[in-house]
Amino acid sequence: MIGKADRQMSFSDYWLLGKISEVSYYHRLRTWVFNNLNEEMFQPLFSYYGRESISPVYTFTAMLIQFEKGYSDREMEEESRFDDRIKYALTAPRDFDGIDAVTLCDHRKRLFNSEIGKEIFIKTISQAKEVGLFNKDNLHIIDSFMIWGSCARQDTYTMIYQGIKMVLRFMKFYEMEDASKKILKRTDYEENIKKPKIAWENEKEKAKLLEELVKDALSLVENIKTKKDIKDDLKKAIELLERIALQDVEITNDGHVKMIKGTAKDRIISVVDDEMRHGRKTSSKLSDGYKAEIITGGEKGSVVVGIEVDGANIADGEHMSDLIEQSRRNGVDIDKLYGDCAYSDFEEIEKRKEEGTDFCIRVPEATNPSGGFSKEEFKIDLEKGTVECPNGHIKQFDTEKTQKHEQVTVKFRAEECNDCPLKDQCTKSKKRENNKYTSI
């Protein structure tokens, strides 16, 4: 049941009045809370029965303070209990007992999993515009960062074994466990272990275990698929089991199962959290979990106005269009967007330019891994459609393709390159041919 804020002032509260400056963050926040927040706004998030909670006005205001001051939930618990300035900003009395960290976490989850949280966010953005936070010089930046998953990465054996156990728990719930006992070859799925105990240094034992697990998993999947009226949660579980059973293996023509080399595309890495993925921000920075893409706005880009989270293997720029649309729904029109070269989606850029959004996107640096000339060493005239090599040879290309941002390859003849003094810096080909420049 929703709690009510205690606004009854005591003698000690009167003592505090006037001691906190009217231009301070705490006084301005207190004034904003009085004018904009009330319990009725949050009522749909709470039941009308049961034990009364702390007022969501206090917890939402506490979240704003956390955003400004960088407090963790535990730090906010202490500050709301002992700091008079924080209590003043919360509109709470001086004898307020504070907000515990568990309540903060619970209310945050309720708020931001609901439409109410989005409505309050949009309202806050609108008010920020009114006070000049979003002005003509506001800075909109798009970028991404990695998020580590909270679940441990699992190997193939563990995932299949735990996936079978997961499906069996669903079958037991729906009173289907008797059928499973006739299908499965292994009998250790009810044991409280992460994966079977074998001599893991023995390759023959590992191969035997892999084949048993894969065949048990697929037999279980096929058996359940023949049933009628499969519940959605069980259906989802067998789809996951089938995928993890097959993603790392190959079944030969004679029915044997063997591990494949390399990593499967979009590979699931945990049966506990099947949305986690392998990913990398750079060639040296690996991550297992998720990737977040955000658009920030306001003064110095200090406010997040759009966010999308996906598997860590998603390429940067995948959600640029969605983020721009999300920002608009949140009441933010983007005049100019800054980003790195991952966001050089020319079709999207052309589309958004027609809608009034300019882009300032960094162009990728020209490199040549072989150590020879990069395309910067060639004189390229996009208007005339010519490419001049470092030794002065000129070739034509189709300017209509480059205007459509289509890839164009320019080739120089072997006879032009064979006697060139710069040929070792231009090509490693023994025939000295097919030197190329690719336009964007």
Side-chain angles (χ1 to χ4, degrees):
M1 188 169 74
I2 194 168
K4 303 293 183 180
D6 181 8
R7 299 285 172 71
Q8 184 67 39
M9 297 189 73
S10 65
F11 286 112
S12 60
D13 294 316
Y14 278 111
W15 173 86
L16 194 61
L17 289 177
K19 294 185 178 295
I20 295 179
S21 171
E22 292 186 0
V23 298
S24 70
Y25 167 76
Y26 306 99
H27 182 82
R28 288 186 289 117
L29 180 59
R30 177 185 176 90
T31 303
W32 182 86
V33 171
F34 269 122
N35 293 333
N36 295 279
L37 298 183
N38 57 70
E39 278 82 15
E40 286 71 24
M41 297 169 59
F42 303 94
Q43 181 59 68
L45 303 177
F46 296 85
S47 169
Y48 285 95
Y49 307 98
R51 190 175 64 178
E52 189 176 271
S53 74
I54 191 170
S55 170
V57 171
Y58 289 159
T59 51
F60 182 75
T61 308
M63 293 173 204
L64 298 179
I65 295 173
Q66 285 181 282
F67 178 76
E68 168 67 20
K69 303 298 181 183
Y71 295 146
S72 68
D73 286 352
R74 289 297 178 191
E75 289 171 331
M76 190 64 218
E77 179 179 334
E78 290 190 7
E79 295 296 330
S80 65
R81 187 170 294 164
F82 301 114
D83 192 326
D84 282 340
R85 298 172 303 171
I86 298 296
K87 293 180 181 183
Y88 184 81
L90 292 173
T91 70
R94 288 190 73 200
D95 58 359
F96 180 55
D97 290 332
I99 308 169
D100 68 83
V102 175
T103 300
L104 266 174
C105 184
D106 174 65
H107 282 212
R108 185 184 297 110
K109 184 177 180 180
R110 289 172 185 250
L111 182 70
F112 292 108
N113 283 345
S114 71
E115 291 298 320
I116 293 176
K118 297 175 184 177
E119 291 173 3
I120 294 176
F121 176 78
I122 293 172
K123 182 178 179 180
T124 303
I125 291 293
S126 298
Q127 292 171 341
K129 283 183 176 180
E130 293 175 4
V131 298
L133 179 60
F134 290 91
N135 52 42
K136 292 182 179 179
D137 298 323
N138 72 71
L139 186 62
H140 291 110
I141 303 171
I142 186 168
D143 204 354
S144 67
F145 57 91
M146 309 302 290
I147 303 173
W148 282 96
S150 59
C151 299
R153 180 180 61 186
Q154 297 173 325
D155 60 41
T156 302
Y157 305 92
T158 303
M159 277 198 292
I160 300 176
Y161 187 70
Q162 293 297 328
I164 292 172
K165 294 175 76 170
M166 173 186 65
V167 171
L168 290 177
R169 287 194 293 270
F170 278 109
M171 293 181 71
K172 186 174 183 178
F173 180 80
Y174 292 116
E175 300 180 349
M176 299 168 60
E177 69 270 26
D178 291 339
S180 66
K181 293 178 181 179
K182 300 176 183 178
I183 301 168
L184 303 175
K185 301 298 182 183
R186 297 187 64 86
T187 59
D188 60 349
Y189 295 113
E190 293 184 0
E191 295 184 19
N192 187 25
I193 54 176
K194 291 184 178 180
K195 60 183 176 181
K197 297 177 181 179
I198 64 168
W200 288 100
E201 68 280 359
N202 188 312
E203 293 299 326
K204 289 184 177 180
E205 285 196 40
K206 288 172 64 177
K208 181 175 179 291
L209 173 62
L210 180 66
E211 187 159 316
E212 289 176 348
L213 291 176
V214 170
K215 289 185 176 180
D216 271 358
L218 297 180
S219 296
L220 199 57
V221 169
E222 291 304 317
N223 179 265
I224 297 175
K225 283 183 176 180
T226 63
K227 308 294 183 184
K228 295 182 179 179
D229 301 324
I230 303 175
K231 300 298 182 182
D232 289 341
D233 50 2
L234 178 55
K235 184 178 180 181
K236 183 179 179 181
I238 64 170
E239 288 174 351
L240 175 59
L241 177 59
E242 183 176 27
R243 181 170 174 180
I244 61 177
L246 295 174
Q247 66 178 357
D248 296 327
V249 304
E250 176 187 354
I251 302 177
T252 61
N253 293 332
D254 57 1
H256 289 297
V257 178
K258 63 178 183 179
M259 196 80 75
I260 61 174
K261 294 181 180 180
T263 303
K265 185 180 180 180
D266 199 36
R267 181 179 183 271
I268 293 172
I269 62 176
S270 172
V271 73
V272 179
D273 185 350
D274 61 321
E275 294 182 352
M276 285 175 51
R277 293 293 185 272
H278 293 302
R280 61 174 69 240
K281 184 62 177 173
T282 66
S283 59
S284 61
K285 292 184 179 180
L286 306 180
S287 176
D288 291 327
Y290 300 89
K291 180 181 288 184
E293 288 194 281
I294 63 172
I295 288 182
T296 61
E299 186 178 355
K300 298 181 180 180
S302 58
V303 179
V304 177
V305 296
I307 182 167
E308 291 283 351
V309 180
D310 214 325
N313 59 338
I314 296 298
D316 287 1
E318 184 76 16
H319 296 294
M320 181 166 72
S321 180
D322 297 332
L323 285 168
I324 294 173
E325 292 299 328
Q326 186 184 135
S327 301
R328 288 179 174 176
R329 291 195 300 271
N330 289 335
V332 178
D333 292 323
I334 300 174
D335 299 323
K336 192 169 188 176
L337 184 62
Y338 293 81
D340 59 28
C341 55
Y343 298 92
S344 54
D345 182 336
F346 293 106
E347 290 186 7
E348 185 68 21
I349 290 173
E350 290 296 328
K351 172 186 172 183
R352 297 300 175 180
K353 277 187 175 180
E354 294 177 0
E355 298 173 357
T357 300
D358 289 329
F359 287 78
C360 185
I361 304 296
R362 198 182 89 181
V363 177
E365 293 182 6
T367 59
N368 188 336
S370 67
F373 292 130
S374 70
K375 65 183 181 184
E376 286 185 343
E377 307 292 334
F378 292 75
K379 296 178 182 178
I380 304 160
D381 192 321
L382 294 177
E383 293 183 359
K384 295 180 179 180
T386 60
V387 176
E388 182 179 341
C389 80
N391 197 34
H393 296 294
I394 299 175
K395 290 293 178 182
Q396 294 283 145
F397 63 84
D398 188 349
T399 56
E400 290 186 4
K401 287 187 176 181
T402 56
Q403 289 171 1
K404 296 177 182 178
H405 305 297
E406 296 179 5
Q407 179 172 293
V408 176
T409 299
V410 177
K411 296 182 179 181
F412 292 86
R413 297 194 308 273
E415 51 267 28
E416 294 175 321
C417 302
N418 284 336
D419 298 326
C420 179
L422 304 176
K423 61 186 177 184
D424 290 330
Q425 294 176 264
C426 196
T427 179
K428 300 300 181 183
S429 171
K430 292 181 179 180
K431 295 181 180 180
R432 302 294 192 265
E433 62 183 3
N434 292 344
N435 309 306
K436 56 183 70 176
Y437 158 71
T438 303
S439 69
I440 296 178

